[in-house]
């Protein structure tokens, strides 16, 4: 039978013709564009990704959209049920409905038939036939210049010229953010859930009542289309909330899919069983051991935690690479940094396997010990050029750190080590994340009292430090007095230095500046004796701010300069950014606004790598005061509102840092209110209340335009070029097409689009398009 592109000439039930889809195709705009582009660049493209992610559906959609551009059409060879690799060529022959009924070798038939034809063959589900599929594809492509092959597989075929497109899970809203029912449907996972739910429940919709459960469901199902579709069928008898409550039994809950689908696509467990069975014994073992990580991890963590008999350290990278190739482990790249993660469904399956092996407690301990060593190294190396990277890595490992703390706290005899870990994470709590997590864990451990006296002393001063940042001075005072007593009892001068330093901060925040200066100077001397440079630098900038409000402005500048010079020699930035902020504060008090602004902006730029909310809020406050002093009241109000947004994210405010800073803030706000009116200042505060840290910094640095109205603050986050690119994205242009239109490199456009997604807190181009449309209303 001659294959044509005339639909009337095609047998609707021909074995290899694309079947008409019975459900709508949701999302995947970027993936479809990428696959079609790759097919123009290379004649073999493989779609990879974890089971159930929708590789087949994307391939079939691409096939359907490509059909009219290929003279001899598109043909599908479904290989999931093929167990005998030697029959692969015959299956393709059958899919193509070849008219040759002779007894020739199937490969000869294919080569002869395809030689002069222009068509696309989709080889669907190749993961269990990789070698055979690779041989057949290479032979056919070599003999047939007009042939293109699109394959789907959990791992690539691994032959020269193969283009690989990774099909990721659907875009999914984060449970860490709040979402409205109207906005959340722009995410692909939610859109698919709604679409499929309406097949069994026609009036289903996302509402204010169920939006939280919808977000949880999509995130916990990892945005995997098959899992979402199986969950949607359960909406015949359950609410979204009830499904979420039963997700700890997901492998029994998510069953009952399409009766005519392959058996492994009818239940979630069968799907994962299929992937597990395709792994070697050692790959299965590493899969199970990696389930100990609750979120992403790096190579060092995998090697340190999982490499014990029968797995040797040198084997981990190869096994991990093979699990990445099989789409069991996903990669996350930021510059040269690579992290790995398992989808929650994959991880829970591995955890079940791990539980039967009896290795869970061993792995939990190894996991905790790895992050204990990493935390100790962060403190040891804090005063150096790697500070920002260390903070970023710990932020990335936050879920792992909490898991390590939880296991240690709840395991008999491990509470002391948990307290040690929580104390060593001091910079992670204060610089990297929110203050509450650190204080909550430290206070819980201090209440347990199952630790050595020395461990308790360390936990006390770190917890007091955080309490002071949150404005809880009474709690901090109690802890520091106890810490002081422990230091005296143990004769531990290093512990005494920490207790003295933070008692100095307590004195400053309660208005006793003279005592604070005395304590700071004493702690600096002891820290110096023990070569604890990091603590010396922190105590120096604390001493400087006390000197500012003790009318010792010249001495304060000298102290700041000492700290800055020490920091510069070491390549240290965090303490330097605080010293620069205080330098700006000092110049402002001296009536030198230009010098004050210069130092403040330096502090803000230097602290950008850390995303230290405390230093950022204090510096933006200072820039607001400088603007108010210069009678630039609109800027002062804008910056004050931005600082308030940062403070709100921290769960504290400027009052926590003492009456003197608070008084400066109150005076500046009062002058702005007197000049602009209370309603105007309040409106600006409301407009800026939802600003992210990055947006607040951009505003303070003058890198974002003023908001056009209270209803359009998001537009001000984007530069003029980014707004231009966002509009082109909304018009459906690919990054390459945008690059050609603006005469820029594709790499430059890639960077702009990623920044747009980050600034607007979006996960997909579809959301950018919806946002652009909303700006026109």
């Amino acid at each position: 039978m001659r294959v044509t592109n005339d639909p009337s000439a095609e047998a609707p039930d021909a074995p290899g013709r694309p079947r008409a889809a019975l459900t709508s195709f949701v999302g995947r705009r970027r993936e479809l564009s990428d696959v079609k582009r790759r097919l123009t660049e290379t004649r073999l493209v493989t779609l990879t990704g974890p089971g159930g992610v929708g590789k087949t559906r994307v391939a079939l959609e691409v096939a359907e959209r490509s059909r009219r551009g290929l003279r001899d059409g598109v043909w599908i060879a479904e290989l999931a049920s093929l167990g005998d690799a030697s029959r692969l060529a015959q299956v393709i022959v059958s899919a193509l409905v070849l008219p040759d009924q002779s007894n020739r070798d199937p490969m000869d038939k294919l080569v002869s038939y395809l030689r002069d034809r222009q068509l696309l063959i989709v080889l669907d589900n190749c993961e269990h036939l990789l070698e055979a599929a690779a041989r057949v594809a290479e032979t056919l492509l070599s003999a047939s210049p007009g042939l293109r092959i699109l394959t789907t597989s959990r791992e690539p075929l691994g032959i020269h010229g193969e283009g690989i497109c990774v099909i990721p899970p659907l875009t999914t809203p984060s449970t860490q953010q709040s979402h409205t029912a109207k906005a959340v449907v722009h995410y692909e996972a939610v859109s698919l859930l709604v679409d499929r739910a309406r097949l069994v429940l026609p009036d289903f919709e996302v509402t204010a009542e169920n939006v939280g459960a919808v977000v949880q469901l999509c995130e916990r199902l990892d945005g995997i289309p098959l899992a979402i579709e199986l969950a949607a069928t359960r909406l015949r008898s359950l609410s979204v909330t009830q499904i979420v409550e039963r997700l700890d039994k997901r492998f029994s809950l998510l069953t009952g899919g399409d009766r005519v689908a392959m058996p492994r696509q009818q239940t979630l467990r069968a799907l994962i069983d299929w992937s597990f069975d395709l792994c070697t014994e050692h790959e299965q073992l590493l899969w199970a051991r990696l389930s100990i990580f609750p979120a992403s991890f790096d190579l060092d963590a995998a090697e340190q935690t999982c490499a014990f008999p029968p797995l040797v350290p040198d084997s981990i990278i190869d096994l991990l690479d093979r699990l990445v190739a099989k789409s069991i482990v996903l990669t996350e790249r930021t510059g040269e940094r690579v992290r790995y993660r398992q989808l929650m469904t994959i991880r829970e399956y591995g955890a079940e396997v791990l539980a039967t092996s009896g290795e869970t407690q061993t792995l939990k301990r190894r996991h905790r010990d790895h992050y204990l060593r990493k935390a100790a190294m962060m403190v040891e190396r804090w005063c150096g050029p790697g500070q920002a990277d260390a903070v970023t890595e710990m932020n990335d490992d936050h879920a792992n750190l909490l898991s390590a703390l939880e296991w240690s706290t709840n395991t008999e005899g491990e509470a002391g080590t948990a307290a040690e870990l929580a104390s060593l994470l001091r910079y992670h709590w204060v610089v990297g994340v929110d203050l509450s997590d650190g204080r909550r864990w430290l206070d819980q451990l201090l209440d347990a009292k199952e630790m050595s006296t020395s461990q308790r002393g360390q936990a006390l001063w770190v917890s007091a430090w955080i309490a002071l940042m949150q404005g809880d001075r009474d709690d901090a005072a109690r802890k520091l007095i106890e810490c002081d007593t422990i230091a005296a009892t143990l004769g531990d001068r290093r512990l005494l230095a920490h207790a003295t330093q933070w008692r100095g901060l307590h004195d400053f925040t309660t208005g006793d500046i003279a005592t604070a200066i005395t304590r700071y100077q004493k702690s600096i001397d002891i820290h110096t004796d023990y070569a604890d440079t990091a603590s010396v630098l922190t105590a120096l900038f604390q001493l400087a701010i006390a000197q500012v409000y003790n009318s010792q402005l010249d001495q304060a500048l000298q102290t700041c300069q000492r700290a800055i010079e020490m920091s510069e020699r070491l390549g240290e930035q965090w303490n330097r950014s605080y010293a620069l902020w205080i330098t700006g504060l000092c110049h402002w008090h001296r009536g030198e606004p230009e010098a004050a602004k210069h130092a403040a902006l330096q502090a803000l730029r230097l602290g950008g790598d850390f995303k230290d909310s405390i230093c950022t809020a204090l510096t933006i406050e200072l820039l607001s005061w400088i603007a108010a002093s210069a009678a630039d009241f609109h800027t002062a109000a804008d910056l004050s509102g931005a600082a308030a947004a940062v403070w709100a994210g921290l769960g504290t405010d400027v009052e926590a840092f003492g009456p003197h800073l608070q008084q400066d803030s109150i005076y500046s706000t009062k002058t702005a209110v007197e000049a602009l009116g209370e309603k105007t200042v309040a409106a600006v505060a409301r407009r800026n209340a939802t600003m992210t840290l990055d947006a607040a910094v951009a505003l303070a640095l003058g890198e974002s335009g003023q908001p056009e109205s209270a209803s359009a603050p998001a537009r001000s986050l984007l530069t003029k070029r980014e707004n231009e690119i966002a509009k082109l994205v909304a018009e459906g242009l690919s990054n390459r097409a945008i690059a050609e239109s603006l005469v820029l490199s594709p790499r430059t456009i890639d960077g702009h689009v990623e920044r747009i997604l980050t600034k607007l807190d979006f996960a997909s181009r579809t959301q950018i398009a919806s946002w652009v449309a909303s700006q026109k209303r």
Side-chain angles (χ1 to χ4, degrees):
M1 179 183 73
R2 176 174 174 77
V3 182
T4 74
N5 277 316
D6 178 3
S8 64
E10 297 173 4
D13 57 351
R17 302 306 300 172
R19 298 190 305 271
L22 299 179
T23 54
S24 60
F25 187 83
V26 175
R28 300 298 198 192
R29 190 159 130 187
R30 179 182 296 181
E31 288 78 12
L32 289 174
S33 175
D34 288 346
V35 176
K36 290 179 72 175
R37 175 178 56 80
R38 294 308 297 273
L39 279 170
T40 67
E41 298 170 345
T42 182
R43 293 192 296 126
L44 171 63
V45 175
T46 297
L47 310 188
T48 66
V53 82
K55 300 181 294 294
T56 296
R57 191 62 193 272
V58 171
L60 295 179
E61 189 70 18
V62 169
E64 178 59 29
R65 296 186 184 195
S66 303
R67 183 165 60 93
R68 296 188 181 278
L70 294 162
R71 184 182 68 236
D72 298 302
V74 172
W75 302 87
I76 315 295
E78 297 175 344
L79 309 180
S81 60
L82 178 62
D84 182 357
S86 66
R87 294 192 62 252
L88 175 57
Q90 182 56 51
V91 170
I92 299 174
V93 168
S94 299
L96 290 169
V97 200
L98 294 193
D100 184 355
Q101 299 300 317
S102 70
N103 202 27
R104 283 193 301 162
D105 179 79
M107 278 301 294
D108 291 341
K109 293 182 183 180
L110 288 172
V111 169
S112 175
Y113 179 79
L114 295 171
R115 182 172 289 117
D116 299 320
R117 283 178 165 77
Q118 184 194 65
L119 54 78
L120 171 69
I121 296 176
V122 177
L123 300 180
D124 189 28
N125 292 296
C126 297
E127 53 268 353
H128 59 307
L129 305 164
L130 287 176
E131 290 187 17
R135 285 195 303 271
V136 168
E138 189 169 41
T139 300
L140 296 181
L141 289 167
S142 298
S144 313
L147 172 66
R148 281 178 167 72
I149 296 177
L150 179 61
T151 73
T152 71
S153 176
R154 313 248 171 123
E155 59 181 305
L157 303 190
I159 63 177
H160 181 70
E162 178 183 23
I164 300 170
C165 287
V166 178
I167 304 302
L170 299 173
T171 57
T172 307
S174 171
T175 54
Q176 303 303 310
Q177 300 166 349
S178 59
H179 303 275
T180 64
K182 182 178 180 180
V184 82
V185 295
H186 294 302
Y187 289 90
E188 293 172 333
V190 178
S191 182
L192 179 66
L193 178 68
V194 171
D195 183 85
R196 300 303 189 257
R198 286 175 178 168
L199 297 177
V200 297
L201 200 67
D203 60 348
F204 179 82
E205 60 182 87
V206 181
T207 65
E209 185 179 7
N210 69 13
V211 63
V214 166
V215 170
Q216 285 189 62
L217 179 63
C218 292
E219 184 180 73
R220 291 183 62 185
L221 292 181
D222 303 303
I224 296 178
L226 178 63
I228 291 170
E229 292 189 347
L230 290 172
T233 65
R234 287 293 186 180
L235 289 171
R236 288 178 300 217
S237 53
L238 297 172
S239 69
V240 184
T241 300
Q242 287 174 314
I243 293 176
V244 170
E245 290 169 349
R246 288 160 176 77
L247 276 184
D248 57 337
K249 302 174 183 176
R250 69 178 65 197
F251 293 118
S252 58
L253 175 69
L254 301 183
T255 62
D258 186 349
R259 288 191 178 91
V260 299
M262 290 296 299
R264 62 185 174 84
Q265 294 177 328
Q266 293 180 13
T267 73
L268 194 59
R269 176 175 290 283
L271 182 76
I272 309 303
D273 283 341
W274 169 267
S275 293
F276 193 74
D277 291 342
L278 290 173
C279 293
T280 66
E281 184 178 347
H282 278 187
E283 288 169 358
Q284 291 174 348
L285 180 57
L286 183 59
W287 175 345
R289 287 181 177 179
L290 290 176
S291 69
I292 211 70
F293 296 101
S296 69
F297 54 90
D298 58 24
L299 178 59
D300 187 48
E303 290 176 331
Q304 295 294 320
T305 302
C306 301
F308 59 94
L311 303 183
V312 297
D314 289 346
S315 71
I316 298 299
I317 180 59
D318 290 330
L319 291 171
L320 188 59
D321 182 61
R322 275 145 47 188
L323 290 178
V324 169
K326 287 178 164 65
S327 303
I328 302 305
V329 174
L330 307 180
T331 58
E332 298 176 342
R333 296 177 183 273
T334 306
E336 288 300 299
R337 294 172 55 247
V338 180
R339 292 180 66 84
Y340 308 89
R341 69 181 177 92
Q342 291 181 309
L343 296 177
M344 194 179 299
T345 303
I346 298 291
R347 188 166 66 246
E348 289 187 5
Y349 185 97
E352 286 189 10
V353 175
L354 186 65
T356 64
S357 72
E359 292 185 343
T360 302
Q361 292 306 305
T362 298
L363 280 157
K364 286 283 189 181
R365 186 180 302 279
R366 293 177 67 92
H367 176 269
R368 188 276 314 279
D369 288 348
H370 168 71
Y371 289 105
L372 180 65
R373 289 190 296 271
K374 191 168 183 176
M377 191 177 300
M378 182 183 189
V379 170
E380 182 182 341
R381 300 179 181 177
W382 180 243
C383 262
Q387 281 179 325
D389 288 341
V391 170
T392 299
E393 286 181 19
M394 283 301 193
N395 287 350
D396 289 342
D397 277 320
H398 186 62
N400 285 304
L401 299 173
L402 297 188
S403 177
L405 284 168
E406 184 175 3
W407 178 80
S408 300
T409 303
N410 296 327
T411 301
E412 186 176 354
E414 299 292 341
T417 308
E420 186 179 347
L421 173 59
S423 301
L424 287 168
L425 289 172
R426 63 196 69 159
Y427 296 115
H428 176 61
W429 305 130
V430 174
V431 183
V433 223
D434 73 56
L435 301 168
S436 299
D437 261 347
R439 188 175 175 195
R440 183 165 51 249
W441 278 104
L442 285 160
D443 287 356
Q444 180 181 338
L445 289 160
L446 286 168
D447 288 343
K449 300 182 180 179
E450 296 174 4
M451 63 190 75
S452 70
T453 305
S454 177
Q455 288 170 330
R456 183 170 182 82
Q458 295 294 325
L460 283 166
W461 75 260
V462 176
S463 180
W465 178 4
I466 299 173
L468 287 169
M469 297 298 98
Q470 294 181 314
D472 193 345
R473 296 166 191 147
D474 291 343
D475 182 61
R478 286 192 296 270
K479 289 171 179 173
L480 290 169
I481 290 170
E482 183 183 351
C483 183
D484 215 340
T485 302
I486 289 174
T489 302
L490 296 177
D492 188 338
R493 291 187 74 234
R494 298 191 72 170
L495 182 60
L496 175 65
H498 288 301
T500 302
Q501 176 181 346
W502 297 104
R503 289 188 74 177
L505 181 59
H506 178 269
D507 293 330
F508 177 79
T509 60
T510 54
D512 188 352
I513 294 179
T515 303
I517 289 174
T518 300
R519 291 196 201 274
Y520 286 143
Q521 290 171 331
K522 179 180 178 181
S523 69
I524 289 168
D525 290 341
I526 303 175
H527 287 318
T528 302
D529 289 343
Y530 287 94
D532 186 352
T533 309
S535 296
V536 168
L537 285 169
T538 303
L540 277 173
F541 79 65
Q542 291 173 328
L543 170 62
I545 193 171
Q547 290 170 330
V548 168
Y549 287 106
N550 201 41
S551 301
Q552 297 173 278
L553 297 178
D554 290 341
Q555 293 96 317
L557 282 175
Q558 291 170 7
T559 303
C560 285
Q561 190 58 33
R562 178 184 169 190
I564 290 168
E565 288 174 356
M566 285 179 64
S567 295
E568 287 176 339
R569 285 198 302 272
L570 295 165
E572 193 271 355
Q573 293 185 342
W574 181 69
N575 288 290
R576 193 178 0 157
S577 64
Y578 276 92
L580 283 165
W581 160 62
I582 297 164
T583 298
L585 182 69
C586 189
H587 281 301
W588 180 63
H589 274 268
R590 285 162 60 109
E592 299 164 350
E594 288 304 314
K597 185 175 181 179
H598 177 73
L601 291 175
Q602 274 189 292
L604 209 54
R605 292 190 183 99
L606 195 64
D609 289 340
F610 296 96
K611 297 187 184 299
D612 181 337
S613 297
I614 295 173
C615 190
T616 298
L618 289 168
T619 306
I620 295 176
E621 284 269 2
L622 173 58
L623 287 166
S624 174
W625 306 345
I626 295 168
S629 298
D632 185 358
F633 298 113
H634 286 284
T635 298
D638 222 13
L639 291 170
S640 178
V646 179
W647 287 127
L650 275 166
T652 186
D653 55 33
V654 71
E655 191 273 336
F657 296 85
H660 300 88
L661 282 165
Q662 183 187 22
Q663 190 57 44
D664 280 343
S665 180
I666 290 171
Y667 177 78
S668 177
T669 301
K670 182 180 177 182
T671 59
V673 168
E674 289 173 350
L676 301 176
E678 191 169 340
K679 286 185 177 180
T680 298
V681 173
V684 172
R686 285 194 301 273
R687 184 186 69 205
N688 290 354
T690 58
M691 265 193 174
T692 64
L693 180 67
D694 286 341
V697 171
L699 177 66
L701 292 175
E703 294 177 355
S704 67
Q706 293 294 326
E708 295 169 13
S709 68
S711 65
R715 184 178 298 168
S716 70
L717 301 185
L718 304 186
T719 65
K720 182 179 179 181
R721 175 68 82 184
E722 287 166 350
N723 271 303
E724 181 181 18
I725 291 171
K727 291 175 183 177
L728 294 173
V729 168
E731 292 174 12
L733 273 66
S734 67
N735 285 7
R736 183 180 293 273
I738 295 172
E740 292 173 356
S741 171
L742 299 179
V743 196
L744 295 170
S745 73
R747 186 183 295 274
T748 298
I749 300 302
D750 291 344
H752 278 303
V753 172
E754 288 305 315
R755 283 190 290 276
I756 291 168
L757 291 168
T758 300
K759 286 183 177 182
L760 299 182
D761 194 23
F762 289 166
S764 71
R765 297 167 79 88
T766 303
Q767 289 176 278
I768 294 177
S770 298
W771 175 78
V772 170
S774 72
Q775 303 303 301
K776 298 176 182 177
R777 294 178 194 139

